[in-house]
Amino acid sequence: MDVTTDANAPWLIVGLGNPGPEYAMNRHNVGFMVADLLAGRIGGKFKRAGKAQAQVVEGRIGPPGPANRRVILAKPMSFMNLSGGPVNALKDFYKVPVANIVAVHDELDIDYGTLRLKLGGGDNGHNGLKSMTKAMGADYHRVRFGIGRPPGRMQVADFVLKDFSSAERKELDYFVDRAADAVECLVIEGLERAQSSYNS
């Protein structure tokens, strides 16, 4: 189901994570990694967004013509569990319909590197999604990046705030690149096409 209220409305692509160098390579920060890669692709650098507690890059993706889309890439600087406030402020400032918002985030219940795209749904215990849904409802798109479950008895909170393992890092660049491709496909060609190409 593709729900877009205005074909000319911009898209807000939100990479979820925690600000600060100590969190940069955490599993929980894979949304930031994808946002950084997308920013590089459109030739932009993240800058503080006015009064919103976020960093943003504005640009366009897609081929010239009707498929070209205006996008705002965003990284909330509020810590994960408070992401909803900055995202909601950006939504209002840039006049983005909720259906044109894409959250890119880590997902425990999917194997490492696997992608799943969807529109709406629950938060599955993810604090960033929980905060976004509380702020503006659940009808935004999600690009879910699988990180797998914690090994043994490790607590979920410890697992997501650890860096990717050395074995995982060997494939991380490839998976982040693929997630960025999936975001572009979603925005340019719609959810169904992106799901058929990238859901696994």
Side-chain angles (χ1 to χ4, degrees):
M1 177 173 62
D2 289 327
V3 183
T4 307
T5 52
D6 178 356
N8 297 314
W11 284 76
L12 177 59
I13 300 163
V14 181
L16 292 178
N18 287 308
E22 67 272 34
Y23 299 106
M25 290 305 296
N26 286 181
R27 293 182 178 92
H28 222 20
N29 269 45
V30 74
F32 274 19
M33 297 174 199
V34 175
D36 285 336
L37 180 59
L38 286 165
R41 288 184 181 183
I42 65 174
K45 282 195 165 48
F46 278 99
K47 298 188 176 90
R48 200 77 182 193
K51 294 180 180 177
Q53 207 175 351
Q55 292 183 352
V56 299
V57 174
E58 295 181 59
R60 302 191 79 87
I61 62 173
N68 193 261
R69 300 281 184 262
R70 180 177 168 228
V71 296
I72 299 99
L73 305 174
K75 297 192 295 186
M77 293 285 115
S78 57
F79 287 98
M80 183 70 85
N81 61 343
L82 299 171
S83 301
V87 175
N88 202 39
L90 293 171
K91 170 184 76 73
D92 292 346
F93 180 77
Y94 288 104
K95 299 181 171 54
V96 180
V98 173
N100 279 30
I101 296 173
V102 183
V104 185
H105 64 92
D106 57 303
E107 179 64 64
L108 285 159
D109 287 337
I110 304 174
D111 290 340
Y112 173 60
T114 299
L115 295 178
R116 298 272 166 78
L117 286 76
K118 68 174 188 172
L119 174 64
D123 56 58
N124 205 21
H126 192 287
N127 288 331
L129 298 182
K130 196 177 291 182
S131 179
M132 283 180 61
T133 297
K134 185 177 178 186
M136 61 194 186
D139 294 330
Y140 53 90
H141 289 85
R142 299 101 190 275
V143 174
R144 304 155 74 203
F145 186 111
I147 59 169
R149 301 293 304 183
R153 297 186 179 182
M154 185 187 290
Q155 295 294 313
V156 164
D158 295 332
F159 180 68
V160 299
L161 293 176
K162 281 199 182 313
D163 288 358
F164 285 100
S165 69
S166 55
E168 288 169 333
R169 280 201 295 272
K170 288 175 183 169
E171 294 182 292
L172 182 60
D173 287 349
Y174 168 75
F175 289 140
V176 168
D177 195 65
R178 192 164 181 270
D181 290 346
V183 171
E184 291 184 346
C185 184
L186 167 62
V187 170
I188 297 164
E189 301 186 61
L191 178 61
E192 285 184 20
R193 175 63 67 89
Q195 285 175 325
S196 66
S197 298
Y198 293 96
N199 276 15
S200 47

